[in-house]
PDB file of all heavy atoms in Angstrom:
ATOM      1  N   TRP A 398      40.980  22.480  -5.262  1.00 96.00           N
ATOM      2  CA  TRP A 398      41.593  22.545  -6.637  1.00 96.00           C
ATOM      3  C   TRP A 398      41.475  21.208  -7.402  1.00 96.00           C
ATOM      4  O   TRP A 398      41.767  21.156  -8.626  1.00 96.00           O
ATOM      5  CB  TRP A 398      43.127  22.874  -6.478  1.00 96.00           C
ATOM      6  CG  TRP A 398      43.787  23.323  -7.629  1.00 96.00           C
ATOM      7  CD1 TRP A 398      44.659  22.462  -8.483  1.00 96.00           C
ATOM      8  CD2 TRP A 398      43.601  24.498  -8.367  1.00 96.00           C
ATOM      9  NE1 TRP A 398      45.120  23.420  -9.414  1.00 96.00           N
ATOM     10  CE2 TRP A 398      44.494  24.511  -9.501  1.00 96.00           C
ATOM     11  CE3 TRP A 398      42.903  25.697  -7.993  1.00 96.00           C
ATOM     12  CZ2 TRP A 398      44.619  25.688 -10.295  1.00 96.00           C
ATOM     13  CZ3 TRP A 398      43.087  26.785  -8.917  1.00 96.00           C
ATOM     14  CH2 TRP A 398      43.805  26.763 -10.011  1.00 96.00           C
ATOM     15  N   SER A 399      40.852  20.154  -6.923  1.00 95.00           N
ATOM     16  CA  SER A 399      40.781  18.867  -7.535  1.00 95.00           C
ATOM     17  C   SER A 399      40.009  19.023  -8.784  1.00 95.00           C
ATOM     18  O   SER A 399      39.037  19.745  -8.836  1.00 95.00           O
ATOM     19  CB  SER A 399      40.228  17.880  -6.591  1.00 95.00           C
ATOM     20  OG  SER A 399      39.902  16.726  -7.231  1.00 95.00           O
ATOM     21  N   SER A 400      40.338  18.192  -9.707  1.00 93.00           N
ATOM     22  CA  SER A 400      39.580  18.197 -11.102  1.00 93.00           C
ATOM     23  C   SER A 400      38.584  17.032 -11.080  1.00 93.00           C
ATOM     24  O   SER A 400      37.905  16.965 -12.075  1.00 93.00           O
ATOM     25  CB  SER A 400      40.532  18.035 -12.212  1.00 93.00           C
ATOM     26  OG  SER A 400      41.227  16.845 -12.021  1.00 93.00           O
ATOM     27  N   LYS A 401      38.372  16.399  -9.868  1.00 94.00           N
ATOM     28  CA  LYS A 401      37.406  15.344  -9.881  1.00 94.00           C
ATOM     29  C   LYS A 401      36.017  15.906  -9.819  1.00 94.00           C
ATOM     30  O   LYS A 401      35.765  17.053  -9.378  1.00 94.00           O
ATOM     31  CB  LYS A 401      37.643  14.466  -8.601  1.00 94.00           C
ATOM     32  CG  LYS A 401      38.956  13.786  -8.503  1.00 94.00           C
ATOM     33  CD  LYS A 401      39.045  12.994  -7.216  1.00 94.00           C
ATOM     34  CE  LYS A 401      40.367  12.148  -7.176  1.00 94.00           C
ATOM     35  NZ  LYS A 401      40.439  11.376  -5.863  1.00 94.00           N
ATOM     36  N   GLY A 402      34.976  15.144 -10.398  1.00 94.00           N
ATOM     37  CA  GLY A 402      33.734  15.571 -10.375  1.00 94.00           C
ATOM     38  C   GLY A 402      33.231  15.424  -8.941  1.00 94.00           C
ATOM     39  O   GLY A 402      33.664  14.893  -8.052  1.00 94.00           O
ATOM     40  N   PRO A 403      31.983  16.144  -8.735  1.00 94.00           N
ATOM     41  CA  PRO A 403      31.421  16.112  -7.354  1.00 94.00           C
ATOM     42  C   PRO A 403      31.266  14.775  -6.776  1.00 94.00           C
ATOM     43  O   PRO A 403      31.429  14.613  -5.521  1.00 94.00           O
ATOM     44  CB  PRO A 403      29.966  16.739  -7.528  1.00 94.00           C
ATOM     45  CG  PRO A 403      30.105  17.617  -8.790  1.00 94.00           C
ATOM     46  CD  PRO A 403      31.144  16.748  -9.672  1.00 94.00           C
ATOM     47  N   TRP A 404      30.792  13.706  -7.464  1.00 95.00           N
ATOM     48  CA  TRP A 404      30.698  12.501  -6.833  1.00 95.00           C
ATOM     49  C   TRP A 404      31.941  11.854  -6.175  1.00 95.00           C
ATOM     50  O   TRP A 404      31.948  11.377  -5.154  1.00 95.00           O
ATOM     51  CB  TRP A 404      29.968  11.503  -7.822  1.00 95.00           C
ATOM     52  CG  TRP A 404      29.664  10.127  -7.313  1.00 95.00           C
ATOM     53  CD1 TRP A 404      30.456   9.033  -7.574  1.00 95.00           C
ATOM     54  CD2 TRP A 404      28.728   9.753  -6.265  1.00 95.00           C
ATOM     55  NE1 TRP A 404      29.982   7.860  -6.896  1.00 95.00           N
ATOM     56  CE2 TRP A 404      28.932   8.266  -6.062  1.00 95.00           C
ATOM     57  CE3 TRP A 404      27.825  10.427  -5.567  1.00 95.00           C
ATOM     58  CZ2 TRP A 404      28.043   7.762  -5.254  1.00 95.00           C
ATOM     59  CZ3 TRP A 404      26.962   9.780  -4.669  1.00 95.00           C
ATOM     60  CH2 TRP A 404      27.083   8.356  -4.424  1.00 95.00           C
ATOM     61  N   ASN A 405      33.012  11.963  -7.085  1.00 96.00           N
ATOM     62  CA  ASN A 405      34.242  11.471  -6.730  1.00 96.00           C
ATOM     63  C   ASN A 405      35.011  12.194  -5.626  1.00 96.00           C
ATOM     64  O   ASN A 405      35.503  11.751  -4.654  1.00 96.00           O
ATOM     65  CB  ASN A 405      35.280  11.205  -7.914  1.00 96.00           C
ATOM     66  CG  ASN A 405      34.662  10.154  -8.903  1.00 96.00           C
ATOM     67  OD1 ASN A 405      34.244   9.163  -8.300  1.00 96.00           O
ATOM     68  ND2 ASN A 405      34.781  10.395 -10.174  1.00 96.00           N
ATOM     69  N   VAL A 406      34.947  13.563  -5.678  1.00 96.00           N
ATOM     70  CA  VAL A 406      35.565  14.389  -4.769  1.00 96.00           C
ATOM     71  C   VAL A 406      35.027  14.300  -3.435  1.00 96.00           C
ATOM     72  O   VAL A 406      35.651  14.526  -2.401  1.00 96.00           O
ATOM     73  CB  VAL A 406      35.639  15.869  -5.271  1.00 96.00           C
ATOM     74  CG1 VAL A 406      34.380  16.508  -5.053  1.00 96.00           C
ATOM     75  CG2 VAL A 406      36.802  16.636  -4.561  1.00 96.00           C
ATOM     76  N   CYS A 407      33.612  14.110  -3.457  1.00 95.00           N
ATOM     77  CA  CYS A 407      32.924  13.972  -2.164  1.00 95.00           C
ATOM     78  C   CYS A 407      33.309  12.658  -1.317  1.00 95.00           C
ATOM     79  O   CYS A 407      32.850  12.431  -0.226  1.00 95.00           O
ATOM     80  CB  CYS A 407      31.544  14.083  -2.413  1.00 95.00           C
ATOM     81  SG  CYS A 407      31.012  15.785  -2.624  1.00 95.00           S
ATOM     82  N   HIS A 408      34.072  11.856  -1.863  1.00 93.00           N
ATOM     83  CA  HIS A 408      34.532  10.613  -1.174  1.00 93.00           C
ATOM     84  C   HIS A 408      36.060  10.777  -0.718  1.00 93.00           C
ATOM     85  O   HIS A 408      36.593   9.818  -0.183  1.00 93.00           O
ATOM     86  CB  HIS A 408      34.455   9.321  -2.064  1.00 93.00           C
ATOM     87  CG  HIS A 408      34.385   8.169  -1.327  1.00 93.00           C
ATOM     88  ND1 HIS A 408      33.427   7.880  -0.356  1.00 93.00           N
ATOM     89  CD2 HIS A 408      35.103   6.924  -1.411  1.00 93.00           C
ATOM     90  CE1 HIS A 408      33.596   6.670   0.127  1.00 93.00           C
ATOM     91  NE2 HIS A 408      34.600   6.075  -0.452  1.00 93.00           N
ATOM     92  N   THR A 409      36.514  11.985  -0.938  1.00 95.00           N
ATOM     93  CA  THR A 409      37.992  12.230  -0.459  1.00 95.00           C
ATOM     94  C   THR A 409      38.020  12.820   1.013  1.00 95.00           C
ATOM     95  O   THR A 409      36.850  13.291   1.516  1.00 95.00           O
ATOM     96  CB  THR A 409      38.621  13.248  -1.319  1.00 95.00           C
ATOM     97  OG1 THR A 409      37.877  14.554  -1.189  1.00 95.00           O
ATOM     98  CG2 THR A 409      38.738  12.891  -2.721  1.00 95.00           C
ATOM     99  N   PRO A 410      39.129  12.678   1.682  1.00 96.00           N
ATOM    100  CA  PRO A 410      39.185  13.021   3.101  1.00 96.00           C
ATOM    101  C   PRO A 410      38.804  14.423   3.417  1.00 96.00           C
ATOM    102  O   PRO A 410      38.141  14.834   4.428  1.00 96.00           O
ATOM    103  CB  PRO A 410      40.722  12.700   3.460  1.00 96.00           C
ATOM    104  CG  PRO A 410      41.124  11.727   2.538  1.00 96.00           C
ATOM    105  CD  PRO A 410      40.438  12.013   1.311  1.00 96.00           C
ATOM    106  N   GLY A 411      39.145  15.325   2.601  1.00 96.00           N
ATOM    107  CA  GLY A 411      38.771  16.825   2.706  1.00 96.00           C
ATOM    108  C   GLY A 411      37.384  17.056   2.860  1.00 96.00           C
ATOM    109  O   GLY A 411      36.953  17.634   3.872  1.00 96.00           O
ATOM    110  N   VAL A 412      36.573  16.543   1.906  1.00 97.00           N
ATOM    111  CA  VAL A 412      35.172  16.780   1.987  1.00 97.00           C
ATOM    112  C   VAL A 412      34.471  16.005   3.128  1.00 97.00           C
ATOM    113  O   VAL A 412      33.637  16.455   3.885  1.00 97.00           O
ATOM    114  CB  VAL A 412      34.451  16.416   0.736  1.00 97.00           C
ATOM    115  CG1 VAL A 412      32.968  16.529   0.766  1.00 97.00           C
ATOM    116  CG2 VAL A 412      35.061  17.242  -0.452  1.00 97.00           C
ATOM    117  N   ARG A 413      34.980  14.775   3.399  1.00 95.00           N
ATOM    118  CA  ARG A 413      34.479  13.947   4.469  1.00 95.00           C
ATOM    119  C   ARG A 413      34.658  14.639   5.837  1.00 95.00           C
ATOM    120  O   ARG A 413      33.950  14.462   6.817  1.00 95.00           O
ATOM    121  CB  ARG A 413      34.871  12.533   4.279  1.00 95.00           C
ATOM    122  CG  ARG A 413      34.340  11.875   3.138  1.00 95.00           C
ATOM    123  CD  ARG A 413      34.999  10.404   2.987  1.00 95.00           C
ATOM    124  NE  ARG A 413      34.543   9.554   4.168  1.00 95.00           N
ATOM    125  CZ  ARG A 413      33.317   8.900   4.168  1.00 95.00           C
ATOM    126  NH1 ARG A 413      32.533   8.885   3.168  1.00 95.00           N
ATOM    127  NH2 ARG A 413      32.980   8.121   5.277  1.00 95.00           N
TER     128      ARG A 413
END
Side-chain angles (χ1 to χ4, degrees):
W398 194 254
S399 174
S400 61
K401 294 179 179 179
W404 180 252
N405 289 323
V406 77
C407 286
H408 203 53
T409 60
V412 177
R413 291 177 66 86

